[in-house]
Structure formats: C-alpha cells, structure tokens
Amino acid sequence: MPREYDVVLPSHTVRVLEWGPADGPLVVALHGFPDTALTWRRLAPLLAEAGWRVAAPYLRGYAPSGIPSDADYSVRALAGDAVALHGMLGGDDRSVLLGHDWGAITTNAVAGDPGSPYAAHVALAVPPMSRMNPTRSTLGPWAAAMVRQPLHSWYIAVNQVPGLAERRFDLLAARLWRLWSPGYDATEDLAHLHDAVPDRAHAKAVVSYYRALLGPGIKPALAEPVQPLLVLHGADDRCLEPALARLAGATTVAGAGHFLQLEQPDAVAGEIIGFLA
C-alpha cells in the first residue's frame, strides 16, 4: 500500500500517494481525466523496485485534494502545481515528471519550459501539441488520422456545456473508459473515481479543465519541448488516434489502449526505466 500525506499549495491542499524508498530519486506522477492518483498503483511499484520514489498527487479538484480557491484549471495552473510539487516533495536534479492524459498535457508544458526543475519528462497517451501538426512528408497519414479523430473527441464538446457533464459525470466517465481502452475492466478504477468526484462541485472542477483549455492559460501547452521527453502511446488507444501519436514521435505500446499504465505496466515501466538510464 502507498504512503499517504498532504501538501499545502497556495490555492489548495494536495493529497499525495507515495511508493518506493524515501531516499530514492523523485518521480512526480500526474494522472489524467477521468481518473485518480491510483491509476499508478500497478506502474509505481515497478518503478519503486528500480529505486525510484514515486509521488502521485490527486490533481486540483479531485478529492481528497481540494477544489482550488483560484478556480484556475488552465494548463498554466497545472504546470505551476507540478513545478511547485518538485520543491515541496524534496526533488533534486535527478527528478522526473511523469504524466498521463491531462497529466501528460501538463508534463509536455513543463518540458517546454527551459527552466523546468525536472531532469526528464515522460508523457503517456498525449504527445506535445506542437508536434501534432503535419509536415510535407506526413500530410497524407496525418489527414487520414484526422478524419477518424472527431469520432473520439465528441466528449470535449460535451464537457463545454455548463451543467451537462456535471449531471451525467458517472455515466460519461464509465463510457469513456469503456471506449478508450476496449476490453479493459475499469470497475476498480471507476470506484476510485467516484470517491474522487463524489458530487457536482467536484465534477464541475474536473470538467473545467476542458472549459479553460482555449483560454490564455493554454500557452505553455503549445510550446515545443526543450527538455528530455519520452512519449508513450497505446497501440489500441481510442481517445487519441495512435497514428497521430506516432507521427508526433510517440513510442507505441502493444496490447494497450488509452490507460496503458494500467493495461501494460511492465512494458511501460521497461520503456521508462530504459529512457532514464
């Protein structure tokens, strides 16, 4: 079982789960949507066995972390939290930032900052936005993938409608897990998610990430990474087209959908440990 404790940031308190040796180099692991810090329960012990201390916070708005007093759910705010946690958790010049889904968007943003305090960055399931534009040589496969992508992205529009996603959050989340990782049994994950999003106030916080996406706080997410970055993507991902991810430089993980850290933890751990070595 992971250790559990709270860290106080200026806008909210953050609950952190931690695996591995207390004196090991730090990995800050950021979960995505709709998910919780327990998404790392299969991968973190593998990294811990390799000597890493994995600290997984519940992101702002996900209980038992607090709903932030600044009501800021922009990428800029998420990246600020990730940088602050490096210092609060005792990070050093060996530390790694690992993220999945929205955690990956945050990781990519931090990797685009020349002043990132992390030595290395790992993004799962979402490549940097700056690398998902076509080039002359990739225009054909990029266009083919973009034709299919809207079939997966309908939920973004749902999350923009005030009140709609909040009222239907449990049903929406269950459907997304089922669609994004075909064949994966998400029963345990959805139970954890219900605990993290127990009411409409938390649901509003969680879907507000999407409502803030096109605001001025998105700028860090558009930056080209300048720090060491590994991108991994499930070969059967039904959230973001694997072909788009490959064109953006992602390494494909076989036998995995969107939640590759849960579906293929050994393969993901092997890729991460090899990258860090």
Side-chain angles (χ1 to χ4, degrees):
M1 293 294 292
R3 302 181 291 275
E4 195 167 342
Y5 55 87
D6 289 337
V7 173
V8 180
L9 296 183
S11 65
H12 63 294
T13 298
V14 178
R15 177 65 54 85
V16 178
L17 307 181
E18 187 173 286
W19 295 261
D23 59 351
L26 177 68
V27 176
V28 174
L30 309 176
H31 68 83
F33 170 91
D35 206 353
T36 74
L38 283 163
T39 199
W40 305 111
R41 66 187 183 276
R42 296 177 183 169
L43 178 62
L46 301 176
L47 299 179
E49 288 176 7
W52 296 89
R53 175 170 65 99
V54 181
Y58 286 81
L59 299 189
R60 51 173 59 206
Y62 289 83
S65 289
I67 294 176
S69 59
D70 59 11
D72 189 348
Y73 299 98
S74 67
V75 176
R76 178 179 55 205
L78 297 170
D81 289 348
V83 170
L85 286 169
H86 178 276
M88 298 291 288
L89 298 175
D92 57 25
D93 59 5
R94 302 169 296 171
S95 299
V96 177
L97 184 60
L98 164 65
H100 173 254
D101 190 86
W102 268 98
I105 294 172
T106 304
T107 297
N108 295 332
V110 176
D113 180 359
S116 170
Y118 294 94
H121 309 71
V122 180
L124 308 184
V126 183
M129 293 182 186
S130 63
R131 295 183 180 175
M132 285 195 279
N133 294 319
T135 65
R136 182 176 298 178
S137 63
T138 65
L139 182 58
W142 178 87
M146 285 300 294
V147 168
R148 296 188 296 269
Q149 185 57 43
L151 298 174
H152 309 315
S153 298
W154 56 268
Y155 71 97
I156 296 175
V158 171
N159 283 341
Q160 299 297 328
V161 181
L164 177 59
E166 292 93 320
R167 290 194 303 270
R168 303 281 184 166
F169 184 81
D170 286 346
L171 293 175
L172 174 65
R175 184 176 184 187
L176 293 179
W177 276 81
R178 185 171 62 254
L179 293 174
W180 289 354
S181 284
Y184 174 74
D185 183 359
T187 302
E188 183 178 354
D189 303 277
L190 291 171
H192 295 315
L193 181 63
H194 182 76
D195 292 338
V197 188
D199 52 37
R200 193 168 294 184
H202 286 86
K204 180 180 180 180
V206 167
V207 299
S208 289
Y209 287 46
Y210 292 92
R211 296 170 187 171
L213 184 58
L214 299 180
I218 193 179
K219 186 176 180 180
L222 303 176
E224 172 66 19
V226 296
Q227 303 287 351
L229 174 68
L230 171 68
V231 182
L232 302 177
H233 202 87
D236 301 319
D237 193 316
R238 294 297 178 267
C239 176
L240 178 69
E241 275 291 315
L244 282 178
R246 288 193 297 271
L247 291 172
T251 298
T252 299
V253 176
H258 187 64
F259 298 93
L260 60 165
Q261 70 277 9
L262 287 163
E263 298 170 83
Q264 295 293 340
D266 292 295
V268 172
E271 293 284 354
I272 294 172
I273 291 169
F275 171 68
L276 297 179

